[in-house]
Amino acid sequence: MRTSARRPTDHVRVLIVKLSSLGDVVHTMPVVHDMRGAHPDALIDWVVEPGFAPLVRRVRGIHGSIECALRRWRKRWWTSAERYDAIIDFQGLTKSALVARLARGPRYGLANQTEGASHEWPARWLVHHPIEVEPRIHALDRARVLAAKVLGYEVQGPPVFGLRPHPLDTIERTMVFVHGTSRDDKLWPEAHWIELGRRIMGEGWRIALPHAGAQERVRAERIAAALAPAADVWPAMSLDSLTDRMGAAHGVVGVDSGLSHIAVALDLPHVQIYNFPTSWRTGPLASHGHAYQVSIEGTPTPDVDTVWDAWCRVWTQSREAVRA
């Protein structure tokens, strides 16, 4: 907190404003652990769009989630009378800053855009205290640095997401293929998925294919048909249930998408595929302590051999970590 009178052990009430998207919400999760490390008795609420609220409620240390349905905006949806010691807009957009204004307490947010991230200039003027952050910074680090500057502590150690899956029954050794993404230019060719799947199946694994929407379902069915009988198309399910299913799997290969970022948060062995040189700002990094999670880049896309080699290294490292 930006006041010398407040000690790190004092009780504080904090409101996180991070409405969407899935990957952005996941990258903000470690601030909860950081805040609670500096202020063990902190009460931390989070304003988020309804689709991501079940995920936020799983984060260890969250006091409450406040659902904000922007697409069904209604006057007076905000009914909380709580006063917060800090309201932090991690999104940096006009809509998130306006949501932050509805709460009672001092408002903090980003003073500047960071490379590759969305930012709208009115957001700076809609908070009481705009905070400057390094312009070239990973999305996860940006959130951690902003929270630390607001609450007066130093960022320490690797990120801890605190995302808790509900335990499921043990399943066969399963690799999840996160093949879907919101942008076509982030996709990996279907032929690559099929070739990678054959190599993984040759090691005794099963392949699981989640999907969101009709187009992804059709793609998943084509890949599964080529890999039958050791590939399964998961049924449509909520994000809550999907997190549990992924948490029970043994590894994930995926494109740059929200589900791949969930794999990172669940600490699963993971290879994340990038068609652009942008993994430095959203992908798993060794500097974050991700010993068995890596990003692979390629132009126009990484080839199968590169992804396969990366997976073999990741799997070996994860097994070594278990034995250590």
Side-chain angles (χ1 to χ4, degrees), residues 17-270:
V17 180
K18 188 69 167 184
L19 307 174
S20 62
S21 60
L22 178 54
D24 292 341
V25 168
V26 172
H27 284 139
T28 307
M29 289 177 179
V31 305
V32 178
H33 178 269
D34 292 348
M35 291 176 184
R36 292 294 297 271
H39 302 273
D41 296 323
L43 295 178
I44 304 168
D45 294 335
W46 189 321
V47 185
V48 67
E49 291 191 8
F52 309 119
L55 207 62
V56 165
R57 287 193 286 269
R58 290 170 177 255
V59 176
R60 190 176 294 105
I62 279 291
H63 175 255
S65 64
I66 301 169
E67 298 185 15
C68 173
L70 289 176
R71 292 178 178 84
R72 302 189 304 276
W73 184 275
R74 299 189 305 271
K75 292 182 179 180
R76 301 187 184 279
W77 69 269
W78 183 276
T79 58
S80 174
E82 299 289 352
R83 179 172 180 83
Y84 292 94
D85 296 295
I87 302 160
I88 311 176
D89 174 16
F90 288 92
Q91 198 126 20
L93 301 179
T94 304
K95 65 181 181 182
S96 58
L98 289 172
V99 168
R101 281 174 63 91
L102 296 174
R104 299 174 62 228
R107 300 186 302 277
Y108 301 80
L110 295 163
N112 60 292
Q113 183 174 18
T114 59
E115 188 173 333
S118 298
H119 185 268
E120 295 172 351
W121 68 264
R124 174 191 175 103
W125 309 111
L126 290 169
V127 297
H128 298 114
H129 307 287
I131 308 292
E132 293 276 351
V133 297
E134 179 185 345
R136 185 177 174 86
I137 190 171
H138 192 284
L140 187 154
D141 295 323
R142 180 180 64 237
R144 297 184 76 194
V145 167
L146 176 59
K149 287 187 174 184
V150 172
L151 294 174
Y153 60 84
E154 296 293 328
V155 175
Q156 297 182 352
V160 177
F161 293 84
L163 183 61
R164 299 170 293 183
H166 300 145
L168 298 177
D169 293 337
T170 302
I171 62 175
E172 294 181 66
R173 195 163 64 172
T174 299
M175 163 76 72
V176 179
F177 278 179
V178 177
H179 58 93
T181 177
S182 59
R183 286 173 42 185
D184 287 349
D185 59 357
K186 290 184 176 183
L187 293 173
W188 206 42
E190 285 184 37
H192 287 17
W193 286 115
I194 293 167
E195 175 58 28
L196 181 66
R198 286 172 176 155
R199 297 187 191 190
I200 290 171
M201 286 163 38
E203 299 293 321
W205 290 65
R206 292 194 66 83
I207 305 298
L209 294 147
H211 56 86
Q215 185 175 3
E216 289 188 15
R217 178 180 55 79
V218 170
R219 185 192 308 119
E221 290 172 346
R222 287 196 299 263
I223 295 170
L227 297 176
D232 304 298
V233 177
W234 281 351
M237 64 185 78
S238 68
L239 183 59
D240 218 21
S241 298
L242 187 52
T243 299
D244 291 335
R245 290 285 288 268
M246 287 185 64
H250 302 83
V252 179
V253 173
V255 294
D256 174 20
S257 73
L259 288 186
S260 288
H261 300 310
I262 287 179
V264 174
L266 292 173
D267 200 31
L268 291 167
H270 174 50

Side-chain angles (χ1 to χ4, degrees), residues 1-23:
M1 186 70 59
R2 285 187 155 192
T3 169
S4 58
R6 186 172 297 283
R7 300 185 303 276
T9 55
D10 285 345
H11 180 93
V12 297
R13 181 177 284 272
V14 181
L15 181 65
I16 294 171
V17 180
K18 188 69 167 184
L19 307 174
S20 62
S21 60
L22 178 54

